[in-house]
Amino acid sequence: MNNIRSTLAATLLFVLLFSACKKTQADTPIVEVEPATTDNIEIYGEYVGLIRASRNVEIHARVEGFLEKMTFNEGKEVKAGEPLFYINNKPYKARVEKAKAQLKRDEAQELKAESDLQRIEPLYNQNAASRLDLDNAVAALNMAKADAAMSKADLDQAELELSYTVVRSPLSGYISERYVDIGTLVGNSKSLLATVVKRDTVLVDFKLTSLDYLRSQRRNVHLGELDTTRSWQPSVIVTLADNSVYNEKGIVDFASPQVDPKTGTFGVRAELPNPNQVLLPGQFTRVKLLLDVLENVVVVPRKAISIEKGGAFIFVIRPDSIAEKRYVETGPEQDNKIVIIRGLNVNENIVIEGYQKLTHGQKVIPRSREEEQKIEAQKKEETAETKKEDKK
C-alpha cells in the first residue's frame, strides 16, 4: 500500500513540474528581432523649380530690307547655320560690285605708283632726278597702297552685309513661330524675326532657403562646386506634372553668391539632359535636391521605434535573451529607415515585432524572420500531414 502511495505521489509531482514548465514557457513572449545595420542615408530638400532652355537665342535681321522668303517650319527642329529668312539683297549686291570696282581702280593706281617709283630710283642714283621726285614717288605708292587696303575693307564689309541678307540659325534647336510676315521691312533694332531654343539640355532654377544653405555649409557641401573628394555630388530629381519622376538626374552647377533679403532665399541652378524633349522651357516642376549623404550610419526600421513622453526608445535583446528598453537619439528618415545618432551599436539585436507586450528586463524568446518563416512552413507541413491522415 505504501508503495502504491509513493508511486502516485511521484507521478503527481512529475505532472505538476511538467505543467509548470509548460506554463513558464508559454508565458515567455516570442519576439521577432533583427540586427541593427549601417547604411548611407540621403538627405533631400524639396523646392519649386522653373524649367528653362539652356540656350534661348533671339534672331534679328542685321541689315535692313524687305523680307522675301522663309524656309523653315515653325516649331520644328533647325540645324546650326541653316538658312531661315531671306531679305531682298539687290542693294547689297550693287554695293559689292561697286566695292569691287573701286578696289580694282585702287589696285591699278598702286601698280602705277610702284612702276613710277621703280623708274625714279635708278635716275635718282644717277643724279638724274631730284630727292623731291623720289619722295613724291614713295608717297604716291604709299597712298595708293592705303587706298587699295581701304577699298578691300569696303569690299569685305559689303560682302558681309550681303551675307546678312540670308538669316541663318545660330544654333541647333527648335524654332518658334515667325514674328514678322513676308514683305515686312526688317532690320531695325526692334525687328525680332523668331527665337531658337536649345532643348536637349535644360536648366532648372529654384530657390534654396537660408537654413538649408547653412546646413550644407556646416557639412562642407558647397553648392555649385565640384568636390572630387566626395563619393557623391549635389544632384536634383525632377517630378513631372503627373507626379511621375523624370528619369534623368541633374547636377547643380551654379549657386547665387548672395541671399535675396526680401525672401531670405538664394538662387540655385541645375542642368539636366533632355534628349526626348520631355521637359519644356517655362514649365514649373517639383525639385528634390540632394543636400547631404550620411555615410555608414546606424539605422533601424521605422516600426521598431516607439515614442513616449521621455523620448524615442527601442527594445534591445541582450545575449542572455533579456529585453532592454533603451532610449535613443534619432536622426533623419529614409525609406522607412531611421538613423540612430546615439544609443545603439551596429549588430545589436532589436525587436521589430512584438515589443508592445514587453517590459524592461523581461525574458523573451528572440527569433529572426527566417526562423519564424521556417516554423510557419513546418506548421503548414504538419497541418497538411494531419489532414492527409484524417482523410485515411
Side-chain angles (χ1 to χ4, degrees), residues 348-362:
E348 284 192 287
N349 280 327
I350 58 171
V351 180
I352 60 172
E353 292 288 351
Y355 57 81
Q356 297 88 349
K357 53 191 175 185
L358 295 184
T359 58
H360 179 73
Q362 185 178 5

Side-chain angles (χ1 to χ4, degrees), residues 50 52-54 202-208 223-225 234-236 250-256 266-272 287 289:
L50 175 63
R52 63 183 177 91
S54 60
V202 296
L203 304 175
V204 55
D205 296 320
F206 54 98
K207 300 290 186 179
L208 200 69
L223 297 175
E225 298 179 11
S235 59
V236 299
I251 297 296
V252 174
D253 63 351
F254 170 78
S256 176
F266 70 103
V268 180
R269 183 187 70 200
E271 186 178 63
L272 293 92
V287 178
L289 169 64

Side-chain angles (χ1 to χ4, degrees), residues 24-248:
T24 302
Q25 188 174 9
D27 290 342
T28 304
I30 300 173
V31 293
E32 184 178 331
V33 299
E34 70 175 40
T37 59
T38 60
D39 200 354
N40 297 333
I41 300 299
E42 298 176 339
I43 299 176
Y44 288 91
E46 294 195 13
Y47 314 95
V48 175
L50 175 63
I51 302 296
R52 63 183 177 91
S54 60
R55 294 182 65 186
N56 188 345
V57 180
E58 293 183 346
I59 300 176
H60 292 264
R62 303 178 70 173
V63 293
E64 190 175 84
F66 290 98
L67 198 62
E68 288 189 333
K69 188 167 59 170
M70 181 185 74
T71 58
F72 64 91
N73 294 319
E74 295 170 297
K76 301 300 182 180
E77 187 176 8
V78 294
K79 301 297 182 182
E82 178 181 336
L84 303 176
F85 297 94
Y86 289 83
I87 298 171
N88 184 285
N89 62 3
K90 290 180 180 179
Y92 300 97
K93 280 185 175 181
R95 291 176 192 175
V96 169
E97 295 302 322
K98 182 179 179 181
K100 285 180 178 179
Q102 184 64 44
L103 177 59
K104 287 182 180 180
R105 179 179 177 180
D106 291 337
E107 286 176 343
Q109 289 292 335
E110 181 183 353
L111 289 174
K112 180 180 181 302
E114 189 173 356
S115 300
D116 291 344
L117 179 60
Q118 290 175 357
R119 284 195 303 271
I120 291 177
E121 277 182 338
L123 295 175
Y124 173 75
N125 293 333
Q126 298 172 8
N127 294 322
S130 66
R131 179 69 187 182
L132 180 60
D133 293 334
L134 178 63
D135 291 343
N136 288 337
V138 171
L141 176 59
N142 289 336
M143 290 179 63
K145 286 183 177 179
D147 289 340
M150 187 180 297
S151 295
K152 179 66 169 63
D154 289 340
L155 176 60
D156 291 341
Q157 178 67 26
E159 289 178 339
L160 185 62
E161 290 179 351
L162 177 61
S163 70
Y164 288 158
T165 60
V166 179
V167 182
R168 301 178 182 274
S169 175
L171 72 156
S172 296
Y174 287 81
I175 192 166
S176 69
E177 63 178 346
R178 71 177 189 272
Y179 300 137
V180 292
D181 293 323
I182 304 301
T184 304
L185 179 64
V186 298
N188 55 53
S189 59
K190 297 181 180 179
S191 61
L192 175 62
L193 305 182
T195 57
V196 177
V197 177
K198 183 177 175 62
R199 294 192 327 202
D200 55 354
T201 301
V202 296
L203 304 175
V204 55
D205 296 320
F206 54 98
K207 300 290 186 179
L208 200 69
T209 63
S210 54
L211 179 60
D212 286 341
Y213 172 77
L214 288 174
R215 287 173 178 170
S216 64
Q217 290 293 313
R218 286 170 184 156
R219 289 283 297 171
N220 200 30
V221 178
H222 304 289
L223 297 175
E225 298 179 11
L226 183 65
D227 189 348
T228 56
T229 62
R230 290 196 307 262
S231 60
W232 60 277
Q233 300 297 331
S235 59
V236 299
I237 299 173
V238 169
T239 302
L240 304 178
D242 60 355
N243 292 325
S244 62
V245 177
Y246 183 58
N247 58 7
E248 298 280 358

Side-chain angles (χ1 to χ4, degrees), residues 250-291:
I251 297 296
V252 174
D253 63 351
F254 170 78
S256 176
Q258 61 184 5
V259 174
D260 185 348
K262 295 180 181 178
T263 61
T265 61
F266 70 103
V268 180
R269 183 187 70 200
E271 186 178 63
L272 293 92
N274 191 32
N276 298 320
Q277 317 299 317
V278 175
L279 302 176
L280 297 177
Q283 181 180 15
F284 283 96
T285 183
R286 294 200 302 275
V287 178
K288 284 180 65 177
L289 169 64
L290 179 60
L291 293 169

Side-chain angles (χ1 to χ4, degrees), residues 303-358:
K303 61 183 180 180
I305 300 287
S306 297
I307 307 293
E308 63 178 18
K309 219 172 192 180
F313 68 90
I314 57 177
F315 276 99
V316 180
I317 304 302
R318 302 192 317 218
D320 57 359
S321 299
I322 298 298
E324 176 186 343
K325 183 180 180 180
R326 189 181 299 179
Y327 287 92
V328 292
E329 182 181 350
T330 60
E333 179 179 352
Q334 177 188 339
D335 297 333
N336 289 324
K337 292 181 180 179
I338 293 184
V339 175
I340 303 299
I341 299 174
R342 191 176 293 108
L344 184 67
N345 296 320
V346 67
N347 291 328
E348 284 192 287
N349 280 327
I350 58 171
V351 180
I352 60 172
E353 292 288 351
Y355 57 81
Q356 297 88 349
K357 53 191 175 185
L358 295 184

